Amino acid sequence: MSRVDRTNRVVASLVGLALASAGAYALLRSSGAVGDRRQPVLGEGLRRTVVDNAGLVGGVATFAALMVAWGGWRWLRAQLRRAPSLPTIRLADSPEGRTTLETKAVTEAVTRDLEVAAGVASGRARFVGGAAAFAVDLHADLAADADLAEVRRHVDEVVLPRLRAALEAPDLPATARYRFGSVTGRSVS
């Protein structure tokens, strides 16, 4: 589980706990189990202070709302951030040493293999994940008249087997994304 996933779970759990607590209190208060349900939540003195300082209270409430919106924007941006491409991958670890490989040469070769397929206008490959537990992410921009089944067959039968054989990683996870022409904007994953 990634750091972003752990943070999401903690924050969602805390927000859920706070909302559940507020809801439980409201239900208990409305049923009369806690406090007098006819009496307002804010006491007379506090209500008078809020009314007397309405401008300040409104400013604080606006500031709090802006901070919540800013936090939500930061969270959303973190969700949409693309995973960084790995500069190196670790192929083997042993007591004698570690074997690593720079990904630039491999991604260039995979891109060339991908662009050989009929109908592929351009392709990109990158490695994502961790240095030891990595995966390959393929992107292919297709011509509007490209045969998607033929391109997928080429990726499944040529590109990925060659990559897996070269890295000696038969279980290498892969994701392929196909986009038809820049005009239509259609995309298939």
Side-chain angles (χ1 to χ4, degrees):
M1 184 181 339
S2 73
R3 186 175 72 87
V4 172
D5 291 336
R6 282 191 299 273
T7 303
N8 285 347
R9 287 184 182 200
V10 168
V11 170
S13 297
L14 292 175
V15 168
L17 184 62
L19 292 175
S21 298
Y25 175 75
L27 284 174
L28 291 172
R29 176 100 184 192
S30 69
S31 68
V34 175
D36 185 7
R37 68 183 201 180
R38 292 178 306 244
Q39 187 177 8
V41 174
L42 297 179
E44 182 64 32
L46 184 56
R47 283 191 298 160
R48 189 173 301 125
T49 303
V50 168
V51 170
D52 291 343
N53 299 306
L56 178 63
V57 172
V60 169
T62 301
F63 178 75
L66 288 173
M67 289 297 102
V68 168
W70 178 75
W73 172 75
R74 297 259 322 192
W75 173 81
L76 183 61
R77 209 174 90 193
Q79 303 310 304
L80 299 176
R81 186 174 298 139
R82 204 170 86 167
S85 184
L86 297 174
T88 60
I89 53 176
R90 188 178 322 149
L91 297 178
D93 265 337
S94 69
E96 295 83 33
R98 175 179 294 162
T99 304
T100 59
L101 177 67
E102 289 189 27
T103 59
K104 184 176 181 180
V106 178
T107 56
E108 288 174 0
V110 171
T111 299
R112 281 193 305 271
D113 278 351
L114 184 59
E115 289 176 343
V116 167
V120 175
S122 67
R124 293 176 308 285
R126 63 190 192 106
F127 286 92
V128 295
F134 54 89
V136 66
D137 190 16
L138 303 173
H139 295 262
D141 292 327
L142 307 178
D145 60 345
D147 182 6
L148 179 61
E150 183 62 30
V151 173
R152 288 186 65 176
R153 185 197 59 73
H154 178 76
V155 169
D156 291 341
E157 295 177 6
V158 177
V159 177
L160 291 177
R162 287 182 66 174
L163 174 62
R164 289 174 175 146
L167 297 179
E168 296 178 352
D171 298 327
L172 175 66
T175 302
R177 292 182 175 83
Y178 307 97
R179 184 172 54 192
F180 285 96
S182 59
V183 177
T184 63
R186 295 184 301 164
S187 161
V188 179
S189 291

